[in-house]
Amino acid sequence: MRKQIAAANWKMNLTVQQAEQLLKDVISADVQPGENQEIVFAVPFPYLDMANNLLAGKSNFSIAAQNVYHKISGAYTGEVSVDMLYSLGIRYCLVGHSERREYFKETNHELAEKINLLLLQQVTPVFCCGEPLDIREAGEQNKHVETQLIESLFLLSSEQIVKIVIAYEPVWAIGSGKTATTQEAQDMHAYIRSVLADKYGKDIADLISILYGGSVKAGNAKELFSSPDVDGGLVGGASLMAQDFIQIIKVLK
Ligand code: PGA
């Protein structure tokens, strides 16, 4: 069975004290992820080391960066490299969140470079894809997401593609309180898997975890995660409250 993942995306929220307390509240709660489950916290860069140390020795809990630069090293003031993440013990990194695509103009090709560098260092990319509202309204969402997959992932070999996690996040559902219906999520996840299967074969496509993101809450997670192709969630707002995120963890398959 594919790994089932509850990933928190804190974005640019919380002080270090609040962040520490939130992590402590979640890990001290009665949640022991199963062998097949993983709980990931995508935290701001300055908190990576604190968070990773807090989770040390806790199996199936991991820390992720929210971004990484697409060059190995050098004169890029203010940026963070894959080597830096790896040397801190970070083993996951979000790539291509829609906020980065929108506000920082990240392109599919640049994301392909980030993914390549992450995989070279054994850091798992959580590749975010998803369509904005106008594309959904035009009924072009499958084509839009397929292009994102082709341009950012399809240079990868079969050995590499099985090492990534995909997060489908319809842009219109992020932070809007508007969730995709369970059917809309399942349809897109199945489509993504079919695109992967056409390129890499069904056996490989079946190994790749595809998370849903966009207004996942304690109240809707169970139904969303129950779909056969939805392997957990990437959770923004609701991951900032320990009790809500704990509820979401508990309904992972
Ligand atoms: P949201 O954010 O859960 O607040 O909609 C999800 C995300 O952006 O990853």
Side-chain angles (χ1 to χ4, degrees):
M1 195 196 186
R2 294 183 283 275
K3 208 173 241 189
Q4 304 295 304
I5 302 171
N9 178 11
W10 290 354
K11 310 190 182 185
M12 196 176 73
N13 292 298
L14 308 173
T15 62
V16 70
Q17 292 81 7
Q18 291 167 330
E20 199 171 336
Q21 190 58 51
L22 177 51
L23 281 175
K24 283 181 176 162
D25 288 346
V26 175
I27 57 184
S28 64
D30 179 28
V31 279
Q32 186 43 59
E35 218 178 289
N36 207 38
Q37 298 172 337
E38 185 87 14
I39 315 305
V40 179
F41 297 87
V43 310
F45 286 135
Y47 307 164
L48 284 171
D49 200 37
M50 172 280 287
N52 211 33
N53 289 334
L54 255 184
L55 294 190
K58 292 231 157 272
S59 51
N60 300 11
F61 280 92
S62 297
I63 297 299
Q66 296 176 8
N67 182 35
V68 71
Y69 200 53
H70 63 282
K71 302 281 182 194
I72 293 178
S73 67
Y76 303 103
T77 302
E79 293 301 324
V80 170
S81 73
V82 172
D83 274 1
M84 293 175 191
L85 299 182
Y86 186 80
S87 67
L88 282 170
I90 303 303
R91 296 296 177 264
Y92 282 88
C93 183
L94 304 188
V95 175
H97 189 280
S98 63
E99 287 149 16
R100 300 225 41 99
R101 294 174 186 262
E102 182 181 351
Y103 305 131
F104 304 96
K105 306 293 171 231
E106 294 190 355
T107 64
N108 290 337
H109 297 290
E110 199 174 292
L111 301 177
E113 292 178 48
K114 295 187 186 206
I115 290 167
N116 188 40
L117 290 179
L118 287 164
L119 289 174
L120 283 173
Q121 255 317 8
Q122 335 276 335
V123 180
T124 301
V126 179
F127 175 69
C128 304
C129 57
E131 78 288 354
L133 185 60
D134 57 330
I135 300 278
R136 165 69 58 168
E137 284 175 347
E140 300 284 323
Q141 65 272 16
N142 286 6
K143 185 92 215 86
H144 183 87
V145 170
E146 184 175 356
T147 302
Q148 291 177 323
L149 298 173
I150 291 171
E151 294 187 356
S152 295
L153 301 183
F154 276 16
L155 284 176
L156 300 176
S157 66
S158 302
E159 292 71 37
Q160 290 175 309
I161 193 87
V162 290
K163 295 189 178 131
I164 70 152
V165 172
I166 294 176
Y168 167 61
E169 299 202 302
V171 180
W172 45 271
I174 294 178
S176 64
K178 212 172 160 189
T179 316
T181 64
T182 308
Q183 192 61 52
E184 283 169 335
Q186 167 57 25
D187 287 351
M188 180 57 87
H189 284 228
Y191 183 69
I192 290 172
R193 209 176 296 289
S194 76
V195 171
L196 295 168
D198 286 348
K199 167 83 178 165
Y200 294 100
K202 185 174 180 314
D203 289 353
I204 286 183
D206 281 343
L207 292 173
I208 299 173
S209 300
I210 308 177
L211 317 185
Y212 169 79
S215 298
V216 175
K217 305 264 180 270
N220 61 19
K222 186 167 189 196
E223 199 189 323
L224 284 162
F225 298 175
S226 68
S227 296
D229 286 292
V230 178
D231 306 310
L234 179 56
V235 186
S239 74
L240 297 172
M241 287 157 288
Q243 281 316 315
D244 288 26
F245 193 55
I246 289 164
Q247 289 311 313
I248 292 168
I249 293 171
K250 285 185 174 165
V251 298
L252 280 176
K253 284 198 281 266

